[in-house]
Amino acid sequence: MNWCILIPLLVGFICAILGYLLGKYLGKEENEKIDVDVWKNKVAKLESDLKACKERHDLIPFNASEAKAIFGRKIRENDLTVIEGIGPKIEELFNNQGVKTWKELSEMSVQKCQQVLDDGGERFKIHNPGTWPEQAKMAYEGNWKELLEWQDELKGGK
């Protein structure tokens, strides 16, 4: 056998193994650094989202037992049908427009409420949403007694 061929093959094989091991070791450190940076970015984004969510939803806790005691029936949180003049079909119209909470409804203008009704078709145009945002605000803030007293004065959401 010719040693002249064997020595370059052996040196090439050793260099290949060393290159592989060095690449794996050095690449691992770089990948770990990239992974840490990726996770730091993800955590920062989640913290930012959480902060924005908290600012957007200054939540007032819902007290179901208090609502039940005053209304005499079980009240689900953000049930828009609690508002005098809103039934299941109108609630569905608002939900389809992205309005799913008392807070969201309380922040709408009466004109926007009317637009949702108008977009629902002729059968909904007869409803008067003039008090709905105010009623929703009372529900959101947990002013159940005042809401019930006001609703007793209202007729058909007017």
Side-chain angles (χ1 to χ4, degrees):
M1 181 174 220
N2 189 349
W3 292 101
C4 293
I5 294 175
L6 189 57
I7 292 175
L9 287 176
L10 187 58
V11 170
F13 179 72
I14 292 171
C15 288
I17 289 175
L18 286 175
Y20 172 77
L21 293 174
L22 280 172
K24 188 165 177 103
Y25 175 74
L26 295 175
K28 184 177 181 182
E29 286 181 7
E30 188 176 312
N31 285 341
E32 286 176 0
K33 185 176 190 253
I34 290 171
D35 288 346
V36 169
D37 290 341
V38 167
W39 286 110
K40 282 182 181 178
N41 289 338
K42 285 183 180 182
V43 168
K45 181 172 180 356
L46 288 172
E47 287 174 344
S48 171
D49 290 349
L50 178 60
K51 183 180 177 187
C53 187
K54 283 181 179 180
E55 289 173 357
R56 189 173 53 242
H57 297 289
D58 296 325
L59 294 177
I60 297 172
F62 171 64
N63 187 336
S65 58
E66 180 184 359
K68 182 178 182 180
I70 292 172
F71 271 79
R73 63 183 171 90
K74 183 179 178 181
I75 303 291
R76 289 180 298 113
E77 185 173 11
N78 293 312
D79 178 4
L80 298 183
T81 63
V82 168
I83 308 306
E84 179 67 32
I86 296 181
K89 294 291 185 186
I90 293 177
E91 179 181 41
E92 186 178 337
L93 287 177
F94 279 89
N95 288 339
N96 290 341
Q97 294 292 320
V99 179
K100 299 181 182 205
T101 67
W102 294 320
K103 185 173 190 316
E104 292 168 342
L105 180 58
S106 74
E107 294 170 346
M108 290 182 75
S109 67
V110 173
Q111 293 79 14
K112 179 64 178 161
C113 291
Q114 186 64 54
Q115 184 64 47
V116 170
L117 293 173
D118 293 345
D119 291 346
E122 285 297 318
R123 67 187 264 199
F124 298 108
K125 289 184 181 182
I126 62 168
H127 296 277
N128 181 352
T131 63
W132 295 354
E134 295 173 65
Q135 290 184 64
K137 183 176 182 187
M138 288 180 169
Y140 168 69
E141 292 175 347
N143 297 325
W144 300 110
K145 186 174 181 186
E146 294 87 351
L147 177 60
L148 183 62
E149 289 171 358
W150 192 23
Q151 285 181 347
D152 286 342
E153 295 173 17
L154 296 174
K155 294 188 180 173
K158 296 180 182 175

